[in-house]
């Protein structure tokens, strides 16, 4: 059987009941929503500004309506009687940020967050701090001298706090009086009263006064866009506001950076921000950006030669050098300097991560004798990985699904030497697969569980994880804030191995840690030579290098089901899951996962889940829309999706079975954190595998396709892959196009600077 032949015209749609007899591509529609880009960490360009959805609601608003839109998995949940995994993880994140802020405050001089900067970037950041402290007027903004670059020392992590973490309900800490006062202000401005509790939680006890003084602070709430904030401001201020109001422009700059972070960027080019401001009726975008920097809304960074000098507005050409000056370099011959704007939280995380990586690289003890363990490794690639890890504090390992056996061999070898070795995965499914490969359930955890303390060995008296070797699988799913938390949690001398497949989709959160570490060549890299087996492995390997190859699938391992439209795509998908795959392949419906491009539209995850529920588990949805036996996805924290099955419900909440672990979701959290999951997006499915996968590509999905998306989706099936194909030649085009570096980050620059 030939799967995905290139250059053929779509064949006629299959009409018989056995969907596993057709192997021809075809055409059909179903939308690829911009909403998935925001929720699942997709990195698509936006229509009217960086980080902005072109035609959908704000990501947080959609996330409230569609809880699985955060593509990622991890953690297996805890019973309701104990602090939840989400609460523990949020507490750990707060602790990390407190340590970073403490370290920042201990630094001498006013630019603690910028000690890794140099040249004009350091000048600009120093000027921001000077203006904030009142030491200099705004007119002297770019005239502060830059301090010499210095590498920060990395103190040992503070002891982990033992008290129970705070609950994560958004209304916690907001008194009824505060909420009522905010509701009154919202009503005066024509805003929905439902925003009162979130506003009180985000803006604090004086939220009502803050909104009266600066109505555009409404933009800091989930689901609120500039149009809504402008309407609210006009209602409150009447003629006292305009498009160039400094409160508005500062809020817009922060909003643009927040939206960009939802698409994976940790920073944006200043020119992009100015263009987005101009598109929103700001008459002087340069001055708006300058004001936002002075107000501390964003930080400014500059990538370029250290001896470059920039005066005036960020990104503006310097006029300090006369063209006729002797020795002056002609402007046309100078390399362009990129000025980036970023939010403080991501700047701190990237700098902390870069420092932590440098510390791990330099602090490794190399006195262990790993020669015998390497010689006993099951494959040449495993031998190479063990030898490399023995001699280095940080190692990057790349490979496909079959290559996961090599980190498992490393963990086994290290444990045999008496070292405290552990593997951390992105999902519960990944943890179970790793535990099976190692042969020891205690040797595998989820990364979220490890960092929150619900899994793993715990921390020592200094707050560091009690480990000698940590292997992080599914490393492309590591976002920059989690990466910073991870390296801050490792003691000097701990070996860290980042292992993953560079072809899959990147993390749901901001940053591209794995790709940046690879690109910066910050440490030794071990490339697996173990290919993924079978027709699916052959197909996916070809996609990884940009080729949609023909593969022979005599056992119907790969099947193409052509469709004409979205309605037929839904019909054929249900038929495959309920009848064809169980009958022809022997994989039950419960072990078959549907993957599609978008959440909305006539063939998105919502439509497919509705159709699959009607066929596979019909019921009235008596538990908040769910019935016992429903397949669901639980989102305990943004960016993590945990598959489960509904067991029951009572006054305590909705009871789930998530990978063998009982989870109770409180009633008030069900609507925001649980949804049906017979169908997922590829971002949500990353890091997991099922015996069979059905990938749905309706015609409207063409714009949402990319090589990483196809690579990730097609690689989710272990034994069988069905492709419901309606995008015609858009599929081979998406695979053939070279994937661009579609996330703007600073980590690679920081790593290269520290290495130099």
């Amino acid at each position: 059987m030939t799967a995905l032949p290139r250059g053929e015209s779509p064949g006629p749609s299959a009409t018989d009941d056995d969907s596993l007899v057709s192997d021809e591509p075809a055409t059909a529609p179903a939308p690829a929503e911009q909403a998935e880009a925001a929720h699942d960490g997709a990195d698509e360009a936006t229509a009217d500004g960086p980080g902005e959805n072109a035609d959908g609601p704000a990501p947080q608003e959609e996330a409230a309506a569609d809880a699985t839109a955060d593509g990622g998995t991890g953690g297996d949940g805890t019973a309701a009687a104990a602090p939840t995994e989400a609460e523990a993880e949020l507490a750990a994140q707060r602790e990390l940020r407190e340590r970073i802020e403490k370290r920042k405050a201990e630094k001498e001089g006013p630019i603690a967050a910028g000690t890794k900067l140099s040249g004009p970037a350091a000048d600009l950041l120093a000027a921001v701090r000077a203006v904030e402290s009142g030491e200099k007027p705004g007119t002297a903004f770019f005239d502060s001298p830059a301090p010499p670059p210095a590498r920060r020392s990395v103190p040992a992590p503070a002891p982990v706090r033992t008290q129970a973490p705070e609950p994560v309900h958004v209304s916690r800490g907001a008194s009824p009086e505060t909420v009522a006062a905010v509701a009154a202000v919202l009503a005066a401005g024509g805003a929905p009263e439902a925003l009162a509790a979130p506003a009180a939680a985000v803006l604090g006890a004086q939220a009502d006064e803050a909104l009266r003084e600066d109505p555009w602070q409404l933009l800091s709430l989930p689901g609120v866009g500039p149009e809504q904030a402008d309407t609210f401001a006009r209602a409150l201020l009447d003629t006292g506001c305009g498009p160039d109001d400094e409160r508005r422009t500062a809020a817009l700059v922060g909003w643009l950076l927040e939206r960009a972070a939802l698409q994976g960027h940790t920073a944006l080019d200043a020119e992009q921000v100015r263009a987005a401001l101009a598109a929103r009726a700001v008459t002087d975008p340069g001055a708006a950006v300058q004001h936002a920097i002075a107000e501390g809304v964003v930080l400014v960074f500059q990538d370029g030669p250290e001896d470059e000098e920039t005066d005036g507005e960020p990104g503006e050409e310097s006029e300090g050098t006369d063209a006729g000056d002797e020795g002056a370099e002609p402007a046309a011959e100078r390399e362009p300097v990129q000025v980036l704007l970023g939010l403080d939280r991501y700047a701190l995380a990237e700098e902390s991560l870069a420092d932590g990586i440098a510390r791990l690289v330099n602090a490794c003890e190399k006195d262990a004798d790993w020669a015998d363990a390497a010689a006993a490794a099951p494959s040449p690639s495993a031998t190479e990985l063990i030898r490399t890890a023995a001699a280095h504090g940080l190692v990057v390992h790349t490979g496909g699904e079959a290559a996961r056996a090599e980190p498992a061999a490393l963990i086994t070898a290290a444990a045999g030497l008496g070292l405290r070795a552990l593997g951390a995965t992105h999902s519960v499914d990944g943890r179970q697969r790793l535990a099976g490969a190692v042969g020891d359930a205690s040797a595998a955890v989820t990364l979220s569980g490890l960092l929150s303390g619900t899994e793993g060995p715990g921390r020592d008296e200094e707050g560091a994880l009690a480990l000698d070797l940590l292997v992080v699988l599914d490393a492309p799913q590591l976002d920059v804030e989690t990466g910073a938390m991870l390296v801050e949690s490792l003691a000097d001398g701990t070996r860290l191995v980042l292992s993953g497949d560079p072809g899959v989709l990147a993390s749901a959160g901001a940053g591209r840690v794995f790709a940046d570490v690879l690109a910066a060549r910050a440490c030794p890299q071990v490339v697996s030579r173990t290919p993924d087996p079978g027709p699916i492995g052959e197909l996916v390997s070809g996609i990884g290098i940009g080729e949609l190859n023909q593969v022979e699938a005599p056992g119907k391992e790969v099947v193409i089901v052509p469709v004409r439209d979205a309605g037929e795509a839904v019909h054929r998908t249900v038929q495959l899951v309920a009848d064809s795959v169980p009958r022809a392949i022997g994989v039950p419906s419960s072990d078959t996962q549907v993957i599609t491009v978008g959440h909305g539209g006539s063939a998105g995850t919502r439509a497919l889940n509705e159709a699959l529920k009607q066929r596979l588990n019909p019921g009235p949805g008596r538990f908040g829309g769910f019935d016992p036996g429903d397949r669901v996805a639980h989102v305990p924290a943004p960016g993590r999706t945990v598959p489960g099955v509904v067991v029951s419900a009572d006054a305590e909440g909705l009871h789930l079975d998530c990978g063998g672990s009982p989870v109770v979701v409180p009633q008030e959290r069900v609507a925001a954190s649980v949804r049906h999951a017979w169908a997922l997006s590829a971002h949500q499915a990353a890091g997991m595998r099922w015996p069979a996968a059905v990938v749905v590509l309706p015609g409207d999905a063409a714009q949402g396709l990319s090589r990483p998306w196809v690579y990730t989706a097609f690689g989710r099936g272990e034994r069988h892959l069905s492709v419901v194909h309606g995008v015609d030649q858009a599929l081979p085009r998406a695979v053939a196009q070279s994937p661009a570096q579609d996330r703007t980050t600073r980590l690679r620059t920081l790593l290269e600077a520290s290495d130099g």
Side-chain angles (χ1 to χ4, degrees), residues 216 226 230 242-253 256 273-291:
W216 286 281
D230 287 344
D244 291 318
D245 191 301
E246 289 184 337
R247 295 168 294 182
R248 177 181 187 263
T249 59
L252 282 175
V253 171
L256 288 168
V273 177
R274 288 194 291 269
L277 291 173
R280 294 199 171 272
V282 177
T283 58
D284 191 348
V289 169
Q290 196 170 0
H291 172 72

Side-chain angles (χ1 to χ4, degrees), residues 50-116:
E52 182 180 349
N53 280 345
D55 58 357
Q60 298 93 335
E61 179 183 5
E62 174 94 358
D66 192 343
T68 60
D70 301 301
T73 48
D76 55 359
T78 57
T84 68
E85 180 183 348
E87 294 167 354
E89 182 175 1
L90 290 173
Q93 292 175 351
R94 286 195 297 272
E95 178 192 348
L96 169 68
R97 290 175 184 147
E98 288 173 5
R99 291 205 302 268
I100 293 175
E101 290 296 337
K102 180 179 178 182
R103 187 171 67 188
K104 177 180 173 183
E106 291 173 351
K107 294 294 175 185
E108 295 182 358
I111 59 168
T115 55
K116 301 294 291 185

Side-chain angles (χ1 to χ4, degrees), residues 220-291:
S220 62
L221 304 185
V224 178
E227 293 78 9
Q228 291 79 24
D230 287 344
T231 301
F232 178 67
R234 283 193 294 269
L236 287 184
L237 304 177
D238 195 15
T239 59
C241 68
D244 291 318
D245 191 301
E246 289 184 337
R247 295 168 294 182
R248 177 181 187 263
T249 59
L252 282 175
V253 171
W255 180 80
L256 288 168
L257 270 292
E258 290 284 2
R259 299 283 289 192
L262 290 171
Q263 295 187 340
H265 307 283
T266 61
L268 281 180
D269 190 287
E271 184 57 38
Q272 287 182 271
V273 177
R274 288 194 291 269
L277 291 173
R280 294 199 171 272
V282 177
T283 58
D284 191 348
V289 169
Q290 196 170 0
H291 172 72

Side-chain angles (χ1 to χ4, degrees), residues 14 91 154 214 220 346 378 380 433 481 615 653 740 750:
V154 181
D214 183 358
S220 62
Y346 299 116
R433 285 183 284 134
E481 290 186 299
R615 178 66 180 272
L750 293 171

Side-chain angles (χ1 to χ4, degrees), residues 4 503 536-549 706-715 721 731 734-737 739:
L4 300 179
I536 297 178
E538 181 184 351
L539 174 63
V540 173
S541 296
I543 292 171
I545 61 173
E547 297 178 358
L548 198 60
N549 294 322
S706 65
R707 186 191 300 176
W709 192 97
V710 178
Y711 186 92
T712 303
F714 282 24
L721 169 67
L731 179 59
V735 170
Q737 291 173 355

Side-chain angles (χ1 to χ4, degrees), residues 361-537:
V361 167
N362 296 323
C364 174
E365 298 180 3
K366 307 175 181 64
D367 56 353
D369 184 6
W370 296 57
D372 292 341
S379 68
S381 293
T383 297
E384 182 182 0
L385 178 60
I386 292 172
R387 287 175 176 167
T388 307
H392 299 88
L394 177 66
V395 177
V396 172
H397 170 259
T398 61
E401 184 64 27
R404 294 170 75 97
E406 295 152 22
L410 172 61
I411 295 169
T412 300
L417 294 172
L419 300 178
R420 299 169 298 178
L422 193 66
T425 66
H426 180 59
S427 65
V428 176
D429 171 70
R431 181 191 67 191
Q432 293 170 342
R433 285 183 284 134
L434 177 61
V438 176
D440 180 5
S442 65
V445 297
T446 62
L447 184 59
S448 59
L450 177 67
L451 294 177
S452 65
T454 59
E455 301 177 50
R459 299 179 182 249
D460 60 24
E461 62 278 2
E462 293 184 343
L465 293 169
L467 293 171
D468 299 307
L469 169 70
L470 176 63
V471 181
V472 177
L473 285 82
D474 310 311
Q477 304 306 309
L478 192 65
D479 64 84
V480 69
E481 290 186 299
T482 305
M485 186 188 306
L486 173 66
V487 298
E488 287 279 346
S489 300
L490 298 179
D492 290 352
T494 302
R495 290 175 169 84
L496 175 64
V497 176
L498 300 177
S499 176
D501 189 339
V504 301
L505 289 165
S507 63
R512 51 196 305 270
V513 174
F514 190 65
D516 283 341
V517 174
L518 278 171
R521 300 191 176 276
C523 62
Q525 301 177 13
V526 177
V527 179
S528 173
R529 297 185 296 277
T530 305
D532 287 340
I536 297 178

